[in-house]
């Protein structure tokens, strides 16, 4: 019975790896007869798995669409990816209860080693503000990469990796880290999931705080070396990532005095747009940036508040041109 159950799981795993298999191919892979394959397919159907079969010279087996959802068979990486997605709130708003139920069912059957990986990622991760609505395609992240980084954060181990920013990559997503020709050795403290990217906040070899894009990291052999943790004051790693990317990642930067309380400005901008510094009860400074002067002009115009541009000079000139153009439009 155990041998049959094990073979059924192996058969199901094979059927999920490609669109179609011939009976002979399955029999060869599982080292059984084609008749045994037919019997095992019937057992899978009885368990609720919709296995379609085509007869003839081009005959094959493939998983089809059933009337009910059968049990899922996930490999280690898939199980970790699903659990991390549910844990980090990747589901749609309004589906929190369904996500919790699904996560509970999954964690009940996760082996201890996988559950430990999922817990490490959850405890090491902070979710940033809601997506800005950017159309940038989310990078592919290997679950093993996140779980390895999370384990280093949990165990307070140094993290060694190669770091390379791809040519043509959006500069605004890089943060303070730069491409390195040599392996980077850091003390990792937090992962931040924000704006469809994963960032790692760490102390570098010069004892400075840095932000690294996880998908630009290629991990090297584990160091096994522990560091003495010195957390960031206030543990505000998410705010550090937002400020770091906003202040170092844009092609053009601007400093704008806004004649309104900081709270009012903060209520009108997205966290990705910039950083607001209070001057007094009626004045604040917006430090922002973009890939062009034109986009910054759009940002400040959408505030709906009076402001003065302190720099750069190019933005001042651009706003003069826009102002004259708008006046001509209504004269």
């Amino acid at each position: 019975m155990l041998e049959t159950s094990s073979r059924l799981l192996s058969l199901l795993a094979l059927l999920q790896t490609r669109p179609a298999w011939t009976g002979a191919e399955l029999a060869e892979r599982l080292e059984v007869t084609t008749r045994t394959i037919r019997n095992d397919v019937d057992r899978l159907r009885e368990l609720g798995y919709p296995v379609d079969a085509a007869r003839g010279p081009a005959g094959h087996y493939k998983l089809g669409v059933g009337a009910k959802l059968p049990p899922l068979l996930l490999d280690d990486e898939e199980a970790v990816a699903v659990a991390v997605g549910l844990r980090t709130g990747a589901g749609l708003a309004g589906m929190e209860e369904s996500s919790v139920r699904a996560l509970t069912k999954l964690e009940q059957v996760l082996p201890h080693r996988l559950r430990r990986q999922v817990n490490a990622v959850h405890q090491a991760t902070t979710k940033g503000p809601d997506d800005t609505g950017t159309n940038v395609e989310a990078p592919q992240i290997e679950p093993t990469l996140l779980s390895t980084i999370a384990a280093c954060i949990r165990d307070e181990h140094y993290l060694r990796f190669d770091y390379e920013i791809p040519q043509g990559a959006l500069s605004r997503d890089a943060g303070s880290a730069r491409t390195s020709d040599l392996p980077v050795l850091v003390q990792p403290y937090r992962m931040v999931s924000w704006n469809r990217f994963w960032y790692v906040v760490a102390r570098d070899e010069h004892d400075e705080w840095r932000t690294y894009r996880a998908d630009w990291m290629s991990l090297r052999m584990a160091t096994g070396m522990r560091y003495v943790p010195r957390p960031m004051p206030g543990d505000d790693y998410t705010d550090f990532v937002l400020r770091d990317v906003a202040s170092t990642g844009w092609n053009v930067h601007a400093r704008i005095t806004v004649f309104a309380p900081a709270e009012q400005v903060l209520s009108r901008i997205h966290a990705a747009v910039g950083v607001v510094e209070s001057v007094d009860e009626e004045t604040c400074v917006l430090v922002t940036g973009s890939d062009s002067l034109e986009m910054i002009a759009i940002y400040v115009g959408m505030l709906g508040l009076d402001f003065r541009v302190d720099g750069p000079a190019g933005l001042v000139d651009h706003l003069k041109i826009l102002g004259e153009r708008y006046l001509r439009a209504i004269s």
Side-chain angles (χ1 to χ4, degrees):
M1 179 63 71
L2 290 176
E3 180 182 349
T4 300
S5 299
S6 176
R7 191 175 63 246
L8 287 178
L9 291 175
S10 298
L11 174 58
L12 182 58
L14 288 174
L15 290 172
Q16 291 181 137
T17 59
R18 74 186 205 196
W21 292 81
T22 66
E25 289 174 329
L26 292 171
E28 181 179 358
R29 290 292 294 269
L30 298 177
E31 298 181 348
V32 294
T33 65
T34 54
R35 180 177 180 180
T36 298
I37 293 297
R38 289 195 297 271
N39 292 335
D40 287 349
V41 166
D42 289 337
R43 292 189 180 94
L44 287 178
R45 289 168 177 163
E46 292 172 0
L47 293 172
Y49 292 96
V51 183
D52 297 335
R55 299 181 180 278
H60 59 265
Y61 294 103
K62 67 176 183 179
L63 284 177
V65 178
K68 62 179 180 178
L69 181 66
L72 295 177
L73 182 64
L74 304 174
D75 63 24
D76 287 2
E77 284 197 3
E78 292 168 341
V80 171
V82 172
V84 168
L86 292 170
R87 279 255 183 146
T88 55
L92 296 175
M95 300 181 66
E96 291 84 356
E97 290 187 10
S98 299
S99 297
V100 170
R101 291 200 305 272
L103 180 60
T104 300
K105 292 178 180 178
L106 179 59
E107 289 192 332
Q108 284 178 342
V109 297
L110 280 180
H112 175 72
R113 57 187 174 80
L114 297 185
R115 191 182 301 117
R116 196 163 183 264
Q117 289 181 32
V118 172
N119 288 338
V121 174
H122 175 65
Q123 293 168 6
T125 301
T126 301
K127 190 175 184 297
D130 292 335
D131 202 321
T132 61
T134 176
N135 291 323
V136 177
E137 184 178 354
Q140 294 296 311
I141 301 289
E142 293 293 332
T144 52
L145 173 71
L146 296 182
S147 59
T148 300
I149 297 172
C152 286
I153 294 173
R154 178 195 63 207
D155 300 333
E156 298 170 351
H157 283 181
Y158 279 91
L159 182 68
R160 183 188 290 127
F161 56 90
D162 294 320
Y163 194 70
E164 182 177 0
I165 301 176
Q167 267 193 329
L170 293 175
S171 61
R172 64 172 177 249
D173 298 320
S176 56
R178 294 292 179 262
T179 296
S180 175
D181 294 329
L182 297 174
V184 180
L185 184 67
V186 301
Q187 300 175 3
Y189 282 82
R190 198 72 182 164
M191 294 192 297
V192 177
S193 172
W194 174 57
N195 213 19
R196 310 184 76 189
F197 299 109
W198 287 80
Y199 297 92
V200 179
V201 182
R203 285 185 185 270
D204 67 8
E205 294 176 279
H206 305 290
D207 204 31
E208 295 182 358
W209 289 105
R210 297 289 183 186
T211 300
Y212 300 89
R213 274 267 301 267
D215 56 303
W216 293 343
M217 299 167 63
S218 298
L219 299 185
R220 302 290 289 264
M221 184 178 296
T223 66
M225 299 186 303
R226 297 195 64 176
Y227 60 85
V228 178
R230 289 173 294 149
M232 181 178 291
D235 289 341
D236 203 350
Y237 300 101
T238 301
D239 184 66
F240 176 77
V241 170
L242 301 185
R243 287 175 175 269
D244 195 24
V245 174
S247 63
T248 65
W250 303 103
N251 291 333
V252 182
H253 298 91
R255 187 176 179 85
I256 299 163
T257 299
V258 184
F259 300 105
E263 294 77 11
Q264 187 175 0
V265 176
L266 285 168
S267 69
R268 299 190 180 197
I269 70 169
H270 192 279
V273 171
V275 178
V276 178
E277 303 171 352
S278 179
V279 176
D280 54 42
E281 293 183 356
E282 299 298 329
T283 313
C284 65
V285 172
L286 171 63
V287 180
T288 186
S290 182
D291 287 337
S292 67
L293 294 173
E294 290 80 5
M295 287 305 299
I296 296 180
I298 292 174
Y299 289 154
V300 296
M302 292 174 63
L303 283 175
L305 301 169
D306 291 336
F307 63 90
R308 182 185 70 245
V309 176
D310 302 319
L315 179 58
V316 175
D317 295 338
H318 182 66
L319 287 174
K320 287 180 179 178
I321 295 173
L322 284 180
E324 293 170 357
R325 183 175 298 152
Y326 290 152
L327 286 174
R328 288 195 301 270
I330 61 175
S331 61

